[in-house]
Amino acid sequence: MKIQLLLSDITTVTCDAIVNAANNSLMGGGGVDGAIHFKGGPAILEECKIIVQRQGGCATGQAVYTGAGKLPAKYVIHTVGPVWHGGNQNEAALLQSCYRQSLLLANELGATTIAFPNISTGVYNYPKSQAAQIALQTVRNFEAENHTLETIFFVCYDVENYEIYRPLLA
Ligand code: AR6
């Protein structure tokens, strides 16, 4: 399994599954969530509404999937990262769960390529360095398991995150 680092907009990445840093409502928002719904078109929100009718949204640390509309991907995996409250409210385990549940779902979908944004490091305020270490550790732990994934992209949108990931992947 290859791990690749990109400084890019995740909506431009061609792969089987791109991961969205969504919120519990699954009804869209700003940041990467806004970009995915805007570029992907209304079909993604329509599918999210069906999921909400079925299960009432998505819990923090969990993941659900939809099609990817007009994006150059097959699926969008929507996961909900934790809001940073200082670190004593289970944030690390919840963030780890976002990455793991997304990987498990990608495997169920038979995906060979998946692209992750830096979940929770925008408006949810998770410290970027700690978040990067959790992201990488969770992916590396998953590597040893039986799965369909061949390439994992970490897609950084801001240079600060990119410079945090670069030495960790060197
Ligand atoms: N491609 C890749 N990464 C991006 C993009 C993009 N187009 N745009 C922003 N980022 P955030 P969160 C990076 O705030 O902290 C939404 O309103 C950004 O630089 O998008 O998990 C949801 O609806 C940052 O590193 O997500 C939720 O309410 C990372 O994506 C809430 O924000 C995550 O920033 C979730 O907050």
Side-chain angles (χ1 to χ4, degrees):
M1 196 179 83
K2 279 193 299 186
I3 299 178
Q4 289 200 359
L5 180 61
L6 300 176
L7 178 61
S8 184
D9 176 341
I10 203 166
T11 63
T12 67
V13 176
T14 300
C15 61
D16 288 341
I18 67 167
V19 177
N20 182 18
N23 60 57
N24 300 122
S25 79
L26 296 177
M27 287 297 99
V32 67
D33 194 9
I36 285 172
H37 281 285
F38 181 72
K39 292 263 198 76
I44 299 175
L45 190 62
E46 288 311 310
E47 279 192 64
C48 284
K49 286 180 184 166
I50 294 167
I51 295 167
V52 170
Q53 279 171 5
R54 191 179 69 219
Q55 65 177 61
C58 183
T60 305
Q62 297 301 308
V64 297
Y65 77 93
T66 65
K70 292 183 279 186
L71 297 174
K74 293 182 187 151
Y75 305 102
V76 176
I77 294 176
H78 306 262
T79 188
V80 183
V83 176
W84 179 256
H85 289 293
N88 293 320
Q89 296 196 30
N90 213 26
E91 291 97 326
L94 289 167
L95 187 61
Q96 183 183 42
S97 175
C98 286
Y99 283 95
R100 181 159 174 82
Q101 293 304 319
S102 298
L103 290 163
L104 289 170
L105 201 45
N107 178 57
E108 277 177 38
L109 294 165
T112 59
T113 49
I114 183 171
F116 282 104
N118 307 130
I119 301 164
S120 282
T121 68
V123 296
Y124 281 1
N125 224 15
Y126 206 108
K128 291 178 179 176
S129 179
Q130 291 179 50
Q133 283 172 36
I134 289 170
L136 265 172
Q137 196 56 55
T138 309
V139 163
R140 284 186 171 139
N141 288 344
F142 184 76
E143 205 170 351
E145 300 177 28
N146 234 340
H147 58 75
T148 58
L149 287 158
E150 291 168 7
T151 307
I152 313 275
F153 295 101
F154 284 112
V155 186
C156 299
Y157 191 62
D158 56 281
V159 175
E160 191 186 348
N161 260 315
Y162 183 74
E163 292 300 338
I164 288 168
Y165 273 82
R166 214 151 52 110
L168 296 176
L169 286 168

